[in-house]
Amino acid sequence: MIVALALLLVAVVNAQLPQPCQTPPQWQGKFIRRDESKNFTQYADISYDLVNRRVREVEYVEEGTDRDYEDVLYLHNINKEYRINLKLKNCTVSALTRPFIHFGLPPDAKYMGTANIGPVNFPDEHATVILFEGEDKQEGTFYYGEVTTPDCVPVNTGFFTNRTGYVHTSFFDITGGIPDPSVFIPPTGCTPK
Amino acid sequence: MIVALALLLVAVVNAQLPQPCQTPPQWQGKFIRRDESKNFTQYADISYDLVNRRVREVEYVEEGTDRDYEDVLYLHNINKEYRINLKLKNCTVSALTRPFIHFGLPPDAKYMGTANIGPVNFPDEHATVILFEGEDKQEGTFYYGEVTTPDCVPVNTGFFTNRTGYVHTSFFDITGGIPDPSVFIPPTGCTPK
C-alpha cells in the first residue's frame, strides 16, 4: 500500500513537471543571434505563422567586418522564397532553401527549473520562465531553451556543437498573433534566382 | 524662434530618455555569474541591504575542476566579514575584504534602448527592460546593464576587460525588500582570520 502510494506520488509529481512546449502558432517580434566563434551577430525582425506556414525575417548581419542586410519571406505554403538584398537593392525568388523551423522545445528536452526575471513582488515588472536542456546525440548538439510560462514564448535559446561553439539567441518585443499581416505579401519585381 | 523651439524639443526629448538608475535599496534574490575565459561559474543567493550596508551571499563556485561552497556575510556597518566555508565546515571573522558594491548603473552610462522580455500582449508574462552601456577608460573596462523599468532591478549585467574577457551575470527570483531579515544575523563560533 505504501509502495503504491509512493508510486502514485511520483506519478503525480512527474505529471506536474512543466513539459516541453510549442510557442504560440502566430507571433511577431525581434531576436538577436550571436555566434562567438565566428564573431557573427544577427539582428532580425521576425513574423512567424505556423498556421499558414509562412515566416518573414528582416535581418541585419555582422560577420567579422562584413555587413549584410536582407529581407526574406519564406512561403512554405507555396514552396517559394523571396529574398531582397537591401544593400544591393535586388530581389530574387526561388524554391525554399531551408525547412520550416518550428519554435519551442523537442519533446525529449529535460526540464531544468523555473525562474523569475524581474522583481516578483512588483506588479507588471516580471516574467516567469522555464528552462529546458537537451542533447541530440546523433548530431552532437547540446541545446537549451528559456521560455515564458504558461505560453511558451521564447526568451533565450541556443545550442552548442564542437564545430560552431555556442550560438545564443535572445528574443524580445514579441507580440502574440499577427498584428501586421502585410508582412506576408510577396514583394513584386523579383526575378528567378 | 524656430531654433529656440528646436532646442526646447531636444531638451524635452533628452529629459525623457531613461537615466542610469540605482536598484531598490533592499532586495533578496539569486544570480549566476559566468566568466568564459576562466571557465568560472558562480551561483549565489544574495541579500542586499543598502540602508544598513549589509550584504549576504551564499555561493557555489565552479572554477575549472574546483568546486567551492561559501556563505559570506559582509557587514559594512561594523566593518566585519563572516565567512563560512561550507566544504571545510569552518567559520572565520575578519575586517572587510572588499568595498561595498553598489548595484545599478554609473551616472555616465549611455542609454541604448528599451525592450520587452516575454509577450507584450499576454498579461503577467512580460517585463520591460532598459539597456545601458558604458566604458571606464581609465580601467579599460567596457560594461553593460539590463534592468527592469521603472524600478531598476538587475536582469543582466556584465563587463569586459582584456584581462578577464566577458564576465556576465544574470539575476533572477528577485524580491524587493528583505522578506527574511535573519540572513543578516552573524554566525556564532567564528574565529578571527
Side-chain angles (χ1 to χ4, degrees), chain A residues 116 120-121 125 148 151 173-174, chain B residues 116 120 125 148 151 173-174:
Chain A
N116 291 286
V120 293
N121 57 344
E125 215 170 310
T148 66
D151 286 296
D173 292 346
I174 304 284
Chain B
N116 291 287
V120 294
E125 214 170 309
T148 65
D151 286 296
D173 292 346
I174 303 282

Side-chain angles (χ1 to χ4, degrees), chain A residues 24 36 114-122 124-128 148-155 166 171-177, chain B residues 24 36 114-122 124-128 148-155 166 171-177:
Chain A
E36 294 286 344
T114 302
N116 291 286
I117 295 173
V120 293
N121 57 344
F122 291 25
D124 295 326
E125 215 170 310
H126 61 271
T128 305
T148 66
T149 183
D151 286 296
C152 199
V153 170
V155 173
Y166 270 103
F171 294 82
F172 55 99
D173 292 346
I174 304 284
T175 306
Chain B
E36 294 285 343
T114 302
N116 291 287
I117 295 172
V120 294
N121 58 343
F122 291 25
D124 295 325
E125 214 170 309
H126 60 271
T128 306
T148 65
T149 183
D151 286 296
C152 199
V153 169
V155 173
Y166 270 103
F171 294 82
F172 55 98
D173 292 346
I174 303 282
T175 306

Side-chain angles (χ1 to χ4, degrees), chain A residues 96-191:
Chain A
L96 287 170
T97 59
R98 72 176 199 191
F100 189 85
I101 295 167
H102 283 262
F103 279 87
L105 296 154
D108 58 352
K110 191 179 157 203
Y111 171 71
M112 297 303 290
T114 302
N116 291 286
I117 295 173
V120 293
N121 57 344
F122 291 25
D124 295 326
E125 215 170 310
H126 61 271
T128 305
V129 295
I130 49 177
L131 313 167
F132 285 87
E133 283 182 9
E135 215 177 330
D136 182 335
K137 284 194 177 134
Q138 208 170 346
E139 303 283 335
T141 309
F142 164 81
Y143 63 85
Y144 63 90
E146 179 181 335
V147 297
T148 66
T149 183
D151 286 296
C152 199
V153 170
V155 173
N156 288 301
T157 63
F159 61 89
F160 175 90
T161 66
N162 285 334
R163 189 176 58 80
T164 58
Y166 270 103
V167 179
H168 182 87
T169 306
S170 291
F171 294 82
F172 55 99
D173 292 346
I174 304 284
T175 306
I178 303 292
D180 177 11
S182 74
V183 297
F184 295 117
I185 298 172
T188 54
C190 288
T191 53

Side-chain angles (χ1 to χ4, degrees), chain B:
Chain B
M1 178 63 182
I2 289 174
V3 172
L5 270 178
L7 285 176
L8 182 66
L9 191 67
V10 168
V12 169
V13 169
N14 275 337
Q16 286 172 338
L17 272 189
Q19 299 298 304
C21 54
Q22 295 303 310
T23 74
Q26 296 181 316
W27 47 270
Q28 298 185 312
K30 297 174 185 173
F31 66 79
I32 297 178
R33 180 165 293 145
R34 176 96 189 128
D35 178 345
E36 294 285 343
S37 65
K38 293 185 190 154
N39 201 11
F40 169 94
T41 308
Q42 177 185 25
Y43 305 87
D45 283 308
I46 181 172
S47 300
Y48 176 79
D49 178 4
L50 176 64
V51 178
N52 303 296
R53 298 175 62 77
R54 307 179 292 187
V55 177
R56 166 107 180 260
E57 287 183 19
V58 182
E59 305 170 347
Y60 166 61
V61 172
E62 291 179 3
E63 188 161 4
T65 55
D66 281 356
R67 303 280 180 275
D68 243 324
Y69 304 83
E70 279 203 321
D71 181 349
V72 194
L73 176 60
Y74 302 93
L75 294 181
H76 293 263
N77 50 348
I78 56 168
N79 193 36
K80 276 194 176 165
E81 176 176 313
Y82 296 85
R83 185 173 293 266
I84 303 176
N85 185 312
L86 296 169
K87 207 159 64 172
L88 303 176
K89 297 191 194 305
N90 63 19
C91 177
T92 53
V93 57
S94 65
L96 288 169
T97 58
R98 72 176 200 191
F100 189 86
I101 295 167
H102 284 262
F103 279 87
L105 296 153
D108 59 353
K110 191 178 159 205
Y111 171 71
M112 297 303 289
T114 302
N116 291 287
I117 295 172
V120 294
N121 58 343
F122 291 25
D124 295 325
E125 214 170 309
H126 60 271
T128 306
V129 295
I130 48 177
L131 313 167
F132 286 85
E133 283 182 9
E135 215 178 330
D136 182 336
K137 285 194 176 135
Q138 208 171 345
E139 303 282 337
T141 309
F142 164 80
Y143 64 84
Y144 62 91
E146 179 181 335
V147 297
T148 65
T149 183
D151 286 296
C152 199
V153 169
V155 173
N156 288 300
T157 64
F159 61 89
F160 175 89
T161 67
N162 286 335
R163 188 176 59 81
T164 57
Y166 270 103
V167 180
H168 182 86
T169 307
S170 290
F171 294 82
F172 55 98
D173 292 346
I174 303 282
T175 306
I178 302 291
D180 177 11
S182 74
V183 296
F184 295 117
I185 298 172
T188 54
C190 287
T191 54
K193 198 177 183 178

